[in-house]
């Protein structure tokens, strides 16, 4: 590798690491994670991922590198890092994954048996519908995680019954923006169920919103990441997950 290519590779890794760390701290600032949750991004034949720490403490220096073809997880990796690896292996189009625990996803996963249809335009940025993965076990093995990745299919968000949610994106920021949208979508669905019959978007409306999604996700992410500055970044402390 020439000096110029080496410098470009280092700069690319640095930029990706900054995006992952910022996305992680933003998830914490939004209240979508507590002590548990993680963010990752595809980087060549491996992923850059937050370790088992409070995401409010994430920095570029705390991130782990995990090969995409791993058969074992490195020290300090979250036990559910398998869901990240499984999604990347199943979906070449996915470049970032967020794992969070919005309370609305627990509630929606408890009352919806199959999938959540979008009730507003921005909700369509999550997919034609948000599938519900009917397995509340922690995804601490490749086999369990692969099952969740199959349930995700071609959608960009997944509710894990009794275990939170997963979202994907072209960037870590898009994955976090979709997690925020998923929280909104779940809350709207629960409210609408109480009000009466639900009227979802038509397939044409969903297609139109999904076509418009990339710049809208950029704008939403720019808004959400401004919250990252509200919280300081203390020294990282390893947790159990």
């Amino acid at each position: 590798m020439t000096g110029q290519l080496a410098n470009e590779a280092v700069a690319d890794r640095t930029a990706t690491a900054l995006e992952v760390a910022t996305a992680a701290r933003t998830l914490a600032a939004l209240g979508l994670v507590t002590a548990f949750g993680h963010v990752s991004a595809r980087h060549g034949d491996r992923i850059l991922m937050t370790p088992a720490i409070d995401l409010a403490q994430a920095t570029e220096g705390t991130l782990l590198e995990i090969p995409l073809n791993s058969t074992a997880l490195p020290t300090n990796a979250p036990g559910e890092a398998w869901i990240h690896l499984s999604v990347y292996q199943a979906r070449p189009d996915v470049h970032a994954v967020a794992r969070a625990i919005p309370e609305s996803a627990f509630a929606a996963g408890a009352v919806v048996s199959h999938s959540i249809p979008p009730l507003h335009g921005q909700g369509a940025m999550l997919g034609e519908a948000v599938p519900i993965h009917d397995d509340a076990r922690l995804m601490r093995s490749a086999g369990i995680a692969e099952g969740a990745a199959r349930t995700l299919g071609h959608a960009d968000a997944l509710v894990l019954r009794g275990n939170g949610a997963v979202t994907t994106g072209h960037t870590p920021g898009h994955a976090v923006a979709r997690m925020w949208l998923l929280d909104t979508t779940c809350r709207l669905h629960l409210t609408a169920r109480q009000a009466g019959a639900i009227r979802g978007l038509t397939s044409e409306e969903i297609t139109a919103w999904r076509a418009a999604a990339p710049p809208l996700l950029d704008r939403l992410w720019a808004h959400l990441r401004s919250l990252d500055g509200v919280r300081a970044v203390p020294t990282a402390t390893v947790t159990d997950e």
Side-chain angles (χ1 to χ4, degrees):
M1 181 180 290
T2 67
Q4 180 179 353
L5 290 177
N7 289 338
E8 290 176 353
V10 170
D12 181 60
R13 187 197 184 284
T14 299
T16 301
L18 176 60
E19 291 180 12
V20 172
T22 302
R25 293 194 303 269
T26 301
L27 267 184
L30 292 169
L32 296 174
V33 294
T34 53
F36 311 107
H38 14 94
V39 179
S40 69
R42 188 191 295 269
H43 185 68
D45 62 353
R46 57 195 59 230
I47 66 174
L48 295 180
M49 184 175 184
T50 52
I53 61 173
D54 182 334
L55 291 191
Q57 301 172 333
T59 67
E60 299 93 302
T62 62
L63 302 185
L64 304 172
E65 288 196 18
I66 305 177
L68 283 168
N69 61 354
S70 294
T71 57
L73 299 179
T75 302
N76 294 343
E80 290 192 318
W82 293 112
I83 185 57
H84 296 251
L85 295 171
S86 295
V87 170
Y88 290 124
Q89 290 163 1
R91 293 275 301 277
D93 61 307
V94 169
H95 293 272
V97 174
R99 168 79 170 97
I101 51 171
E103 292 182 0
S104 62
F106 290 121
V111 299
V112 178
S113 59
H114 180 62
S115 63
I116 302 171
L119 302 184
H120 70 310
Q122 292 179 35
M125 297 185 217
L126 303 175
E128 295 182 3
V130 176
I132 309 293
H133 184 57
D134 193 20
D135 186 343
R137 292 178 295 174
L138 289 168
M139 297 171 290
R140 289 183 168 178
S141 73
I144 295 175
E146 288 165 3
R150 285 193 295 271
T151 303
L152 174 67
H154 295 291
D156 292 307
L158 176 69
V159 168
L160 305 160
R161 180 180 60 80
N163 194 23
V166 173
T167 53
T168 69
H170 187 69
T171 66
H174 283 192
V176 169
R178 283 192 168 113
M179 188 64 74
W180 184 87
L181 287 173
L182 177 59
D183 177 48
T184 300
T185 293
C186 289
R187 288 188 287 105
L188 288 175
H189 187 82
L190 293 168
T191 300
R193 283 173 64 100
Q194 294 177 340
I198 292 177
R199 182 184 180 188
L201 302 187
T202 67
S203 58
E204 291 81 6
E205 291 167 338
I206 292 172
T207 298
W209 273 95
R210 288 186 64 73
L216 298 180
L217 287 169
D218 286 340
R219 288 176 59 185
L220 179 57
W221 168 235
H223 166 71
L224 296 174
R225 73 184 177 197
S226 67
L227 299 175
D228 174 35
V230 174
R231 303 182 68 153
V233 184
T235 303
T237 302
V238 175
T239 66
D240 292 333
E241 172 52 51

